[in-house]
Amino acid sequence: MNRSVPMNKAEDISRTWLEDFAQLLTKTENVEEGVTKTFLPDGWLRDLLIFTWDNRSLNGLRKIACYLQENLPRSVISNIELDHHSELAPKYLPLNDTLKCVCSGFKFSTTVANGHGFFRLVEEGPGCWKAATVFIMADSLKGHEELGYELGVYGGHTLSWTDVQAERRKSVEVDPYVLIIGGGQTGLNIGARFRQMKIPALIIEQNNRIGDNWRKRYPTLTLHTPRSYSPMLYQPFPKNWPLYSPRDKIADWLEQYASSQDLTAWTNARAEPIPVYDSKAKRWSVTIIHDGTSIELHPVHIVVATGMLGIPRVPSPTDQNIFKGVVFHASKYEGGKLFSGKRAIIVGAGNTSADICQDLVFHGASSVTMIQRSSTCIVASSTTRDDLLRGWPEGGSVDIADLKAAAIPFLYLKKVLTEHAEEAIAKEKELHDMLRKGGLNVSFGTGGSGCFPLVFEKAGNYWLDVGCAELIGSGRVKVKHGVEIAKFIEDSVIFTDGTSLKADLVVFATGYHTMHDGLKTLFGAEIMDQTGPIWGVDEEGEARGCYRPSGHPGLWFGAGDFYYSRFYSKQLALIIKAIQIGLV
């Protein structure tokens, strides 16, 4: 069968399918028949806040039909039409050498929201196009759309911007509707989104400056994702910004971002244990120590945006006190200059370990040994760059790229990646051969799905290579596999297999305890036990606990990379706005 689709027919195919889908969404009977007509047997429906105030991904005709049967009777969806924006208009794309996919964006309305969607259709039989994936999301609440830009003229040209901003800031500081804990990229993206939706939010950051959470990390830290993937909300990087963003440039960018987005943020501020939630008043009582002064606030919501990383996980081998060298967690690593000529052992085999090993070799450590306890998924940074630039092309709309990425259900994407595992592994063969030659145990994710799913499933067990592989292959970074440090002696470490290595420096690049466990210190076990896990994915492939109800009223969590906080801040803002105006 010739499955090629002339470009001028992509719109006809899309329009015909969308008419059938629109009929399905207006039915309360024969829903199963409508689902069978519009979806492939293994099709997916992903819903962000249209039918429920949560995120859901449904796979297969029966699950989709049951979900719609339950929710359609109380939903009114109308004004469904194709989106003709140049980056969302109907078009066809090759899925492989013979199979084509017709895809398009579309718009619609509900009783309370303006919606956006995106579908991918595959030809099941001659002229019979059905959906492999359908994505629907609430884009805004009617009458409460994002503010956009201001004129910049206030009080009929009688008020200065300084006075206007000071008054706005004071209002938020006195009575914030939301308290955001954490002033990194996640907290700032959420804060910027909230401001655009008229949700008064105060951001508190424990460091002395916004951006210090980046400045305090190891000096050679650089984003391994390209700049088109990593801008902040509403504010793209300058055209001459580096392709890969260095640590200190990101830190300074975040600091100016808080100012340019007019966010109300306190630095040198922390929440004291343990905030108290009044279930009748539906408000928190929380004490903030700001510049040494104790201040009590009563927000309706607390959003924790301290990132996925909780308290550093540091193993405790015996007799560390007799070791004459230096031992610390990777979070304390400040660069390799101090360790020239030293014998270094780095425990762990993720991104941070690879970067530190490379940095120590460059600065002349006499020996560098990486301790790998299990296996690691590794791809070249150029592979990730090329993949992300296809999704987030230079000069394209970041908002549309984010929407298209969200339109792919996580478990569907993982299945597709697994089906193409051989091709992906072959692409990394030279890199993997080099690593195995040096003694590293290389894997390629669950079922061969690669590194990307590990970001969401484990937030670890991978690295994007920027040079450490060559050092391992050449022997300048040694690898000791399948062991851990059992104990220390004065000038050496003893491993669990009984072998030993001389050492002057031991760095534990062993990750962090979960965000959930780390927050028990602040909120107490009683509150945190009411919430579920934070990060990882649930049985539908949705991120657990983040940007969706946590299980405890008025308590929310934000995490993830730049894309994730940029896009899903909208979902969190829509839920909180719906509560603020009485829809929920």
Side-chain angles (χ1 to χ4, degrees), residues 26-96:
T26 57
K27 287 182 177 181
T28 56
E29 298 179 355
N30 300 321
V31 172
E32 191 168 338
E33 178 184 329
V35 169
T36 302
K37 184 178 181 180
T38 51
F39 284 86
L40 293 172
D42 195 35
W44 284 84
L45 172 65
R46 187 166 193 234
D47 169 23
L48 304 190
L49 309 184
I50 293 300
F51 291 119
T52 72
W53 291 104
D54 201 355
N55 301 346
R56 298 291 305 276
S57 287
L58 297 308
N59 176 220
L61 298 179
R62 190 180 70 82
K63 288 184 178 179
I64 294 172
C66 288
Y67 182 70
L68 294 179
Q69 187 78 61
E70 178 183 355
N71 291 290
L72 282 175
R74 58 176 180 268
S75 304
V76 178
I77 296 179
S78 60
N79 303 320
I80 302 176
E81 61 181 8
L82 292 173
D83 191 331
H84 286 94
H85 186 284
S86 60
E87 296 180 52
L88 290 172
K91 65 184 66 176
Y92 80 94
L93 300 171
L95 292 179
N96 54 44

Side-chain angles (χ1 to χ4, degrees), residues 194-212:
F194 282 9
R195 183 181 178 278
Q196 282 294 300
M197 293 185 64
K198 298 181 71 173
I199 301 172
L202 171 65
I203 301 169
I204 61 170
E205 167 58 44
Q206 66 180 351
N207 289 303
N208 292 327
R209 295 169 60 191
I210 296 293
D212 276 354

Side-chain angles (χ1 to χ4, degrees), residues 190 194 303 547 556 568-577:
I190 293 171
F194 282 9
V303 177
Y547 308 99
W556 311 84
Y568 287 96
S569 62
K570 174 176 285 189
Q571 311 312 313
L572 179 57
L574 288 171
I575 298 173
I576 288 181
K577 189 66 181 183

Side-chain angles (χ1 to χ4, degrees), residues 65-274:
C66 288
Y67 182 70
L68 294 179
Q69 187 78 61
E70 178 183 355
N71 291 290
L72 282 175
R74 58 176 180 268
S75 304
V76 178
I77 296 179
S78 60
N79 303 320
I80 302 176
E81 61 181 8
L82 292 173
D83 191 331
H84 286 94
H85 186 284
S86 60
E87 296 180 52
L88 290 172
K91 65 184 66 176
Y92 80 94
L93 300 171
L95 292 179
N96 54 44
D97 291 339
T98 59
L99 192 61
K100 303 294 186 270
C101 165
V102 172
C103 61
S104 177
F106 62 100
K107 300 177 183 179
F108 60 94
S109 297
T110 73
T111 305
V112 300
N114 303 301
H116 225 138
F118 195 84
F119 56 78
R120 293 175 175 86
L121 310 179
V122 174
E123 194 175 21
E124 188 180 48
C128 180
W129 292 82
K130 294 186 179 181
T133 65
V134 178
F135 174 60
I136 53 176
M137 62 171 280
D139 193 58
S140 62
L141 298 177
K142 290 180 177 179
H144 301 276
E145 291 82 2
E146 295 189 23
L147 293 173
Y149 63 84
E150 297 180 337
L151 288 177
V153 177
Y154 305 95
H157 223 306
T158 63
L159 298 176
S160 72
W161 164 246
T162 301
D163 291 340
V164 170
Q165 176 64 355
E167 185 63 30
R168 290 176 178 177
R169 183 182 180 91
K170 180 180 178 182
S171 176
V172 173
E173 290 175 325
V174 170
D175 186 25
Y177 186 73
V178 180
L179 174 68
I180 300 173
I181 301 176
Q185 69 268 15
T186 298
L188 296 178
N189 270 330
I190 293 171
R193 182 79 73 178
F194 282 9
R195 183 181 178 278
Q196 282 294 300
M197 293 185 64
K198 298 181 71 173
I199 301 172
L202 171 65
I203 301 169
I204 61 170
E205 167 58 44
Q206 66 180 351
N207 289 303
N208 292 327
R209 295 169 60 191
I210 296 293
D212 276 354
N213 62 317
W214 283 81
R215 293 185 188 93
K216 290 183 177 182
R217 301 182 72 184
Y218 57 93
T220 59
L221 175 63
T222 301
L223 291 182
H224 296 335
T225 52
R227 62 188 180 188
S228 59
Y229 174 83
S230 305
M232 296 291 287
L233 190 59
Y234 312 121
Q235 195 166 327
F237 292 126
K239 289 185 177 180
N240 59 348
W241 189 267
L243 181 63
Y244 299 109
S245 304
R247 178 197 75 171
D248 294 296
K249 286 188 72 67
I250 285 289
D252 291 344
W253 186 252
L254 294 181
E255 190 169 37
Q256 67 79 33
Y257 180 84
S259 175
S260 64
Q261 292 296 319
D262 307 321
L263 305 182
T264 302
W266 290 350
T267 54
N268 195 24
R270 70 179 191 279
E272 286 281 271
I274 291 174

Side-chain angles (χ1 to χ4, degrees), residues 234-386:
Y234 312 121
Q235 195 166 327
F237 292 126
K239 289 185 177 180
N240 59 348
W241 189 267
L243 181 63
Y244 299 109
S245 304
R247 178 197 75 171
D248 294 296
K249 286 188 72 67
I250 285 289
D252 291 344
W253 186 252
L254 294 181
E255 190 169 37
Q256 67 79 33
Y257 180 84
S259 175
S260 64
Q261 292 296 319
D262 307 321
L263 305 182
T264 302
W266 290 350
T267 54
N268 195 24
R270 70 179 191 279
E272 286 281 271
I274 291 174
V276 176
Y277 185 74
D278 185 333
S279 57
K280 292 183 179 180
K282 296 184 179 180
R283 283 186 176 269
W284 292 89
S285 293
V286 55
T287 299
I288 307 298
I289 306 299
H290 178 214
D291 287 335
T293 300
S294 178
I295 302 168
E296 186 167 329
L297 297 175
H298 300 281
V300 176
H301 304 276
I302 296 177
V303 177
V304 181
T306 52
M308 294 179 291
L309 308 182
I311 300 169
R313 182 184 288 113
V314 183
S316 302
T318 59
D319 299 324
Q320 183 174 323
N321 59 309
I322 68 174
F323 181 58
K324 292 184 177 180
V326 180
V327 181
F328 52 77
H329 187 265
S331 58
K332 304 295 184 183
Y333 182 77
E334 297 181 352
K337 291 181 180 180
L338 296 174
F339 305 106
S340 176
K342 304 296 184 181
R343 300 162 296 186
I345 294 175
I346 314 302
V347 181
N351 244 347
T352 298
S353 174
D355 283 353
I356 291 175
C357 286
Q358 187 174 358
D359 187 54
L360 286 166
V361 170
F362 176 78
H363 283 101
S366 64
S367 67
V368 179
T369 303
M370 177 187 290
I371 309 301
Q372 185 191 35
R373 293 164 291 174
S374 53
S375 63
T376 310
C377 179
I378 303 164
V379 300
S381 64
S382 58
T383 300
T384 301
R385 177 200 65 207
D386 294 345

Side-chain angles (χ1 to χ4, degrees), residues 298-567:
H298 300 281
V300 176
H301 304 276
I302 296 177
V303 177
V304 181
T306 52
M308 294 179 291
L309 308 182
I311 300 169
R313 182 184 288 113
V314 183
S316 302
T318 59
D319 299 324
Q320 183 174 323
N321 59 309
I322 68 174
F323 181 58
K324 292 184 177 180
V326 180
V327 181
F328 52 77
H329 187 265
S331 58
K332 304 295 184 183
Y333 182 77
E334 297 181 352
K337 291 181 180 180
L338 296 174
F339 305 106
S340 176
K342 304 296 184 181
R343 300 162 296 186
I345 294 175
I346 314 302
V347 181
N351 244 347
T352 298
S353 174
D355 283 353
I356 291 175
C357 286
Q358 187 174 358
D359 187 54
L360 286 166
V361 170
F362 176 78
H363 283 101
S366 64
S367 67
V368 179
T369 303
M370 177 187 290
I371 309 301
Q372 185 191 35
R373 293 164 291 174
S374 53
S375 63
T376 310
C377 179
I378 303 164
V379 300
S381 64
S382 58
T383 300
T384 301
R385 177 200 65 207
D386 294 345
D387 289 344
L388 292 179
L389 285 175
R390 278 190 289 272
W392 285 264
E394 290 276 356
S397 166
V398 175
D399 290 343
I400 290 176
D402 288 351
L403 183 149
K404 287 182 176 180
I408 306 175
F410 174 79
L411 295 180
Y412 172 82
L413 176 60
K414 186 175 178 180
K415 177 175 178 288
V416 171
L417 292 173
T418 301
E419 291 171 350
H420 293 81
E422 289 187 11
E423 177 185 339
I425 292 171
K427 187 175 183 179
E428 308 295 341
K429 183 179 185 305
E430 183 177 348
L431 175 70
H432 291 175
D433 287 348
M434 186 188 306
L435 290 162
R436 291 190 177 102
K437 175 185 174 184
L440 201 79
N441 186 351
V442 180
S443 62
F444 205 67
T446 309
S449 57
C451 291
F452 181 76
L454 293 174
V455 176
F456 298 94
E457 293 173 324
K458 297 184 178 181
N461 291 112
Y462 67 90
W463 90 56
L464 309 181
D465 187 67
V466 293
C468 190
E470 190 277 328
L471 298 177
I472 289 173
S474 66
R476 285 184 286 174
V477 171
K478 302 287 194 300
V479 176
K480 192 169 178 62
H481 171 73
V483 298
E484 297 185 54
I485 296 177
K487 62 181 294 185
F488 287 88
I489 57 178
E490 287 188 353
D491 62 350
S492 305
V493 297
I494 310 297
F495 295 101
T496 49
D497 64 354
T499 61
S500 65
L501 273 178
K502 300 282 188 182
D504 306 297
L505 167 69
V506 175
V507 179
F508 286 109
T510 44
Y512 298 79
H513 292 284
T514 66
M515 185 179 177
H516 185 277
D517 289 343
L519 288 173
K520 288 183 178 180
T521 302
L522 174 58
F523 286 96
E526 183 177 349
I527 289 176
M528 291 307 300
D529 286 347
Q530 295 180 50
T531 71
I534 306 170
W535 206 244
V537 296
D538 63 18
E539 65 278 1
E540 294 181 349
E542 295 293 338
R544 298 183 299 185
C546 293
Y547 308 99
R548 58 195 301 201
S550 70
H552 188 286
L555 182 58
W556 311 84
F557 304 108
D561 62 9
F562 284 78
Y563 149 67
Y564 212 83
S565 62
R566 186 176 61 234
F567 180 79

